[in-house]
Amino acid sequence: MSEAVHYERVREHFENLKLDAALHELDPLLEKAAREERSPTWLLDQLLTIERTTRFERRVAANLKLSGIPAKKTLDAFDFDAQPSVPKATVEELATLRFLRQGQNVLILGPTGVGKTHLAIGLTLKAIESGHRVYFLTLHDLINKARVAREKNRLHILHTTLLRADLFILDEVGFQPLEREDATFLFETINKRYAAQKSTIVTSNKSYGQWHEIFPDHVLAVALLDRLLHHSTTLNIRGDSYRQRHRKQTGLPQAMNVEDAMS
Ligand code: ADP
Ligand code: MG
């Protein structure tokens, strides 16, 4: 077979295998290989690296889009000096994502405005950047989804979605008491993820001792906490709301924010 035929077949193979990024770089890299007298393995390495890098970046972008995170808050943007009750070393350890690989949970507790959601999103972004599939929901949204799914007889689909994520983030547990059906659904969700050894991050303005207040009965609250805490790290944040403090410092009127005003 002539070189031209080989070339055409290679292009066709790449197209057929949907190696789009490699195909796009094929001509420039063939030229470069000839010009610099590179080996065939060098060429293969270059092409496959480009394809894998592009695919990874596409996956990360898609996962970010589907993640449901409400804002992009990074761990780098978190001011640890302003919140000394947050152990930086623990957050740095969590940022290695070892907890995720080991299927451990993270609980972030503390009053409103102290950075719970910020830290949860920061860890979520780390997971997304490493190629993980994540799903971020407030408890309120989870319950609404469960109600809609129940009406349409599609609860099993919601459970599958919630289980598929490598990391599930449940934000704002404790703002409202739960109906029995909703509490049961929450327990099932956490229990399924626990059984599958998949990580969940939970934020709550309630301490563990107060969790029974939001559950219709103690047994369910204890069972849920049991699953969540079995393999877990807890960040207990104390102190003032970050925004409130900022306002105090800048002399702006306080409690302009509804969330803060209610805390
Ligand atoms: P919570 O979820 O605990 O109610 P948030 O994470 O929503 O609080 O924080 C409220 C706001 O203050 C957010 O805009 C967040 O980015 C910011 N914030 C809170 N703590 C810090 C911090 N230590 N460093 C930087 N920003 C912070
Ligand atoms: Mg929050």
Side-chain angles (χ1 to χ4, degrees):
M1 250 188 277
S2 76
E3 187 56 29
V5 175
H6 281 307
Y7 172 77
E8 275 315 315
R9 280 174 57 105
V10 167
R11 290 195 70 91
E12 201 194 306
H13 289 317
F14 276 37
E15 250 176 64
N16 187 276
L17 292 168
K18 301 198 180 354
L19 302 172
D20 301 342
L23 179 60
H24 188 258
E25 293 302 316
L26 181 62
D27 288 351
L29 278 172
L30 277 169
E31 276 162 35
K32 189 170 177 189
R35 197 173 56 242
E36 296 177 6
E37 297 180 13
R38 300 286 191 165
S39 67
T41 43
W42 177 88
L43 180 63
L44 282 169
D45 183 13
Q46 295 284 313
L47 286 168
L48 294 172
T49 300
I50 285 168
E51 185 62 37
R52 284 183 62 188
T53 309
T54 311
R55 283 185 182 201
F56 181 76
E57 283 165 2
R58 252 186 246 150
R59 181 150 59 106
V60 167
N63 285 348
L64 179 64
K65 218 170 154 185
L66 296 171
S67 67
I69 56 166
K72 260 195 166 182
K73 303 267 180 183
T74 61
L75 292 179
D76 287 339
F78 192 82
D79 181 356
F80 286 91
D81 293 333
Q83 205 57 269
S85 65
V86 178
K88 192 173 181 192
T90 307
V91 175
E92 279 169 353
E93 159 61 28
L94 292 170
T96 66
L97 302 179
R98 223 186 314 267
F99 78 96
L100 199 159
R101 287 188 291 274
Q102 296 175 349
Q104 302 189 357
N105 299 324
V106 180
L107 286 102
I108 310 177
L109 310 179
T112 301
V114 292
K116 300 185 297 297
T117 302
H118 188 138
L119 287 170
I121 294 175
L123 292 172
T124 305
L125 285 172
K126 285 278 176 202
I128 294 172
E129 283 161 15
S130 324
H132 292 290
R133 198 175 353 202
V134 310
Y135 197 20
F136 187 108
L137 278 179
T138 61
L139 176 58
H140 182 78
D141 287 346
L142 175 70
I143 283 168
N144 282 342
K145 276 184 190 295
R147 288 182 181 172
V148 171
R150 200 177 293 123
E151 259 171 40
K152 294 183 177 168
N153 244 328
R154 292 161 62 107
L155 263 187
H156 58 291
I157 297 176
L158 182 56
H159 270 310
T160 307
T161 306
L162 291 167
L163 200 55
R164 205 187 301 132
D166 302 316
L167 178 63
F168 175 51
I169 306 91
L170 187 60
D171 198 21
E172 299 185 352
V173 171
F175 279 19
Q176 82 229 80
L178 299 173
E179 310 267 334
R180 174 164 294 277
E181 220 173 16
D182 298 330
T184 305
F185 179 80
L186 174 61
F187 173 75
E188 281 169 0
T189 301
I190 298 298
N191 193 35
K192 278 177 199 283
R193 289 193 62 84
Y194 172 77
Q197 294 185 322
K198 289 194 151 187
S199 294
T200 304
I201 299 180
V202 173
T203 83
S204 178
N205 60 342
K206 297 264 195 291
S207 65
Y208 300 137
Q210 295 171 310
W211 275 42
H212 65 89
E213 292 169 16
I214 55 168
F215 282 86
D217 70 60
H218 279 244
V219 179
L220 208 52
V222 170
L224 183 88
L225 277 172
D226 182 63
R227 307 298 188 279
L228 274 179
L229 296 176
H230 188 195
H231 300 290
S232 65
T233 302
T234 298
L235 295 174
N236 236 318
I237 314 180
R238 293 172 300 276
D240 290 342
S241 151
Y242 186 80
R243 283 178 298 220
Q244 281 283 38
R245 208 157 3 142
H246 243 67
R247 255 171 241 134
K248 275 181 209 162
Q249 280 166 5
T250 53
L252 286 172
Q254 287 177 30
M256 288 190 318
N257 181 287
V258 182
E259 208 184 298
D260 284 345
M262 293 190 317
S263 71

